[in-house]
Amino acid sequence: MSPTFGNLLNKLKHTGSSPAGPSVELGDIGTDEQVYRYRKQRGVNLGSWFVLERWIADTPFAQAAPPGQSDLDVARGPHAKEILERHWDTWITNRDFEWLAARGINSVRIPIGYYHLCSLDRSLLSGTDFHGLDSVFEGAWIRLVRAVETAQSFGIGVLFATDLHSAPGKQNQDSHSGTSASTVLFATRSNLELTVRVLRTLLSAVRSLHSEHNPPINNIIGIELLNEPKPPSHSTLKDWYGKAIKQLRAVDPGLPIYISDCWMSDDYAHFVKSLPESTAPVCLDHHLYRCFTQEDISTPAAQHSISLMDPNAPTPQTFARVAGLLEDAGGALVVGEWSGALNPGSLQGPIDHREERAGYIAAQLALFEQHCAGWFFWTYRKQYHGDQGWSFRDAVEAGVFPDRVGVYSKRNAPVHDPDRVARKAAALSQAIGRHTSYWAQYRGHYEHWRFSKGYDQGWEDGYRFLLHSVANQYAVSELGFQGPWKKQRAREHGVEDGFSKNLWEYEHGYVQAVRDANLDFQAVYC
């Protein structure tokens, strides 16, 4: 749908007649690497695999040092190396990746700590809480590489947590930040600098996996700088984000970077928009839970669902606003953590608990599918079965989560299809008609031919994703990160056909065509 006239005026104020910043080159849209990174991500977190959380997996803590709640406690206990390596080798296996792929899960988010990278550079632990424990964690990296290899064999991308769940000095007070201590010292100068060093080490290793590994690793979809940081000030964190991003871009300008929004989505979306233009996007990671606060506890499950489905309610309004802002900045909104968990206080009265939980999960999925480039359920599994709120596997097997997600083709979609060319022409005719009719209400100078050009490119890009298959992929790949591609294609169009204040028409055509291509594919081939 076209924007309001007010939005147009705002766009005209901020869209120049010539390019600003460096040229955006995302690479070949037809490669496995680009499809992994920019398709719609439907994923799970592989929680408590490397960064341990006792409420998820209890066994590794059997001999942990007191208080027995964190990775450091386990590492300080007897037989730590054997305990950890046994857990790493058994918690997630090939069968798990196979099971996930069969259900349309195409991405995983793997939380790690800086200490899991010590085999790449043992000096990373010097002067930290994990100093002298490199022998305990030296086997982690090779297992992380094995995890990426296994994921790739099933067509699954990895947000190579590569989300830094546990940073030097701890970025929050939780035990999943590496230690059981409540003091947060991440923001000291030395820890800020060390964390950038850790991330550079990680990114260099990731880059080597693509260039030197045999076969090449193509399924790493990004790295996340920090998980749920609680900074002393947001200006400090933003300053560090900016410096870290700049240094990481110098190592690899093409890998998407994810940052936490600290539950301040609007604020950090504007921060992303303020960053220098770059080759690859900066994506905003939001975590959504409705089971912790007093308000959450006192709100019935049905009302939680309604508040997520009502487009005029605060949360959907925020998602729509932030997603639009990020897309226009060439970024994207991703929900890195969410669950089906509800507080018992939300499940009071004569209600069907299973039905209420299924409705709550469905409401979240609908919200994320509409506004987000991807989502990751927390968490894939728990040691003890039966938790349909927090365990993805239990939720699926209990029927409160859909048995599979995504789009599935029922018949082969040929690369060259004359009928599809005709359908595209008809769809373009209808779209340009609606576009022209809408803007005829407002006086101004328009270049509707740019809309047609954008539509043509958007349809082709959308279908390039839909027709591209990676490994043993079950579900079809859809272009999910439209912002980066829209900006690149608009810039290429400007270079070829001239820049003007009407580039927004090209972008509108592009976005509508990606949507229409997806709808066409589903109607014809699914």
Side-chain angles (χ1 to χ4, degrees):
M1 180 178 291
S2 297
T4 64
F5 186 59
N7 286 342
L8 169 63
L9 293 178
N10 185 60
K11 187 176 288 289
L12 292 178
K13 286 173 61 180
H14 293 93
T15 303
S17 59
S18 61
S23 175
V24 178
E25 296 295 340
L26 294 174
D28 185 355
I29 202 170
T31 66
D32 283 0
E33 184 178 62
Q34 298 302 341
V35 171
Y36 272 118
R37 291 177 179 179
Y38 296 108
R39 66 185 177 182
K40 175 81 101 173
Q41 295 168 1
R42 300 179 175 97
V44 298
N45 285 272
L46 301 183
S48 206
W49 191 4
F50 289 90
V51 174
L52 300 175
E53 299 193 40
R54 190 162 192 168
W55 68 280
I56 298 174
D58 183 63
T59 297
F61 291 91
Q63 299 187 57
Q69 296 297 321
S70 66
D71 285 352
L72 183 61
D73 297 337
V74 174
R76 286 176 171 171
H79 311 297
K81 181 180 178 70
E82 294 83 354
I83 289 171
L84 287 171
E85 292 186 350
R86 186 183 311 116
H87 177 75
W88 297 337
D89 290 339
T90 59
W91 181 245
I92 303 292
T93 67
N94 288 30
R95 290 182 181 180
D96 295 298
F97 282 106
E98 182 179 20
W99 187 90
L100 288 167
R103 278 144 190 87
I105 295 300
N106 64 14
S107 307
V108 293
R109 180 173 178 259
I110 307 178
I112 63 171
Y114 66 98
Y115 37 90
H116 293 114
L117 307 178
C118 64
S119 66
L120 298 174
D121 182 353
R122 293 182 182 273
S123 70
L124 294 177
L125 304 191
S126 298
T128 72
D129 293 313
F130 288 82
H131 180 76
L133 294 173
D134 48 296
S135 63
V136 175
F137 292 97
E138 62 187 359
W141 176 249
I142 188 62
R143 287 170 170 83
L144 283 164
V145 173
R146 194 179 304 151
V148 176
E149 292 172 336
T150 303
Q152 181 165 287
S153 71
F154 290 103
I156 293 176
V158 178
L159 179 52
F160 201 34
T162 2
D163 152 56
L164 201 56
H165 235 69
S166 307
K170 299 190 65 170
Q171 74 277 14
N172 61 46
Q173 295 176 317
D174 298 316
S175 57
H176 58 62
S177 289
T179 80
S180 298
S182 59
T183 306
V184 177
L185 298 174
F186 166 72
T188 65
R189 179 177 177 179
S190 60
N191 281 330
L192 291 171
E193 293 175 350
L194 176 57
T195 303
V196 172
R197 216 180 111 214
V198 169
L199 290 165
R200 285 177 60 93
T201 300
L202 173 61
L203 187 51
S204 296
V206 165
R207 194 170 167 83
S208 295
L209 289 177
H210 177 69
S211 61
E212 301 172 12
H213 197 273
N214 187 22
I217 295 295
N218 297 311
N219 64 322
I220 296 174
I221 60 180
I223 67 168
E224 185 160 359
L225 304 191
L226 288 174
N227 177 68
E228 298 180 353
K230 295 179 180 176
S233 75
H234 289 282
S235 61
T236 298
L237 180 61
K238 290 174 185 176
D239 180 67
W240 180 82
Y241 272 160
K243 292 176 180 177
I245 291 169
K246 182 178 180 180
Q247 290 202 40
L248 294 176
R249 292 295 192 218
V251 177
D252 185 348
L255 188 67
I257 291 175
Y258 292 64
I259 63 171
S260 170
D261 68 355
C262 301
W263 293 284
M264 297 173 59
S265 302
D266 282 288
D267 188 35
Y268 278 86
H270 283 285
F271 166 73
V272 170
K273 190 172 183 179
S274 73
L275 292 170
E277 190 171 349
S278 60
T279 301
V282 174
C283 306
L284 199 61
D285 174 18
H286 178 72
H287 295 178
L288 190 148
Y289 295 119
R290 290 291 184 267
C291 57
F292 294 124
T293 69
Q294 190 57 49
E295 182 180 358
D296 292 340
I297 295 169
S298 61
T299 301
Q303 186 57 49
H304 278 305
S305 299
I306 291 171
S307 69
L308 295 170
M309 293 186 293
D310 179 2
N312 296 314
T315 297
Q317 286 277 300
T318 298
F319 269 64
R321 185 174 59 251
V322 169
L325 184 64
L326 290 168
E327 182 179 297
D328 286 343
L333 177 63
V334 171
V335 176
E337 292 185 20
W338 67 284
S339 77
L342 290 161
N343 191 280
S346 296
L347 295 168
Q348 299 296 313
I351 59 174
D352 184 326
H353 288 198
R354 181 182 176 281
E355 183 178 315
E356 293 293 340
R357 194 182 306 280
Y360 174 57
I361 287 173
Q364 292 181 90
L365 282 172
L367 178 67
F368 305 155
E369 289 288 328
Q370 182 178 1
H371 296 297
C372 301
W375 50 261
F376 296 81
F377 189 95
W378 185 276
T379 184
Y380 164 56
R381 59 168 294 208
K382 292 181 66 176
Q383 179 175 338
Y384 302 109
H385 298 294
D387 191 338
Q388 300 170 18
W390 290 107
S391 168
F392 177 80
R393 183 138 191 168
D394 285 319
V396 171
E397 292 175 348
V400 299
F401 197 104
D403 185 59
R404 65 179 190 174
V405 293
V407 175
Y408 297 79
S409 59
K410 293 182 178 179
R411 67 185 184 90
N412 182 54
V415 174
H416 302 292
D417 184 350
D419 290 339
R420 188 163 64 240
V421 174
R423 295 196 305 273
K424 171 186 171 182
L428 170 58
S429 177
Q430 292 181 13
I432 189 64
R434 291 191 301 267
H435 177 80
T436 302
S437 175
Y438 179 88
W439 289 107
Q441 303 173 79
Y442 306 104
R443 297 181 62 182
H445 172 68
Y446 301 108
E447 296 173 319
H448 297 321
W449 60 273
R450 293 187 187 270
F451 179 94
S452 297
K453 286 248 182 176
Y455 194 97
D456 180 74
Q457 187 65 63
W459 181 283
E460 295 303 316
D461 284 354
Y463 255 101
R464 284 192 182 98
F465 272 79
L466 292 163
L467 297 176
H468 190 103
S469 178
V470 293
N472 295 308
Q473 177 184 333
Y474 288 82
V476 172
S477 292
E478 305 153 75
L479 175 52
F481 289 69
Q482 294 182 29
W485 285 102
K486 178 182 74 174
K487 301 305 285 188
Q488 169 164 318
R489 295 311 194 195
R491 184 175 296 277
E492 291 170 348
H493 163 70
V495 170
E496 180 178 349
D497 295 315
F499 289 88
S500 83
K501 292 184 177 181
N502 291 95
L503 279 183
W504 64 269
E505 293 194 72
Y506 180 96
E507 294 181 351
H508 285 192
Y510 185 92
V511 171
Q512 289 188 38
V514 170
R515 180 201 62 194
D516 289 350
N518 286 341
L519 293 173
D520 179 80
F521 183 93
Q522 293 177 46
V524 176
Y525 304 110
C526 297

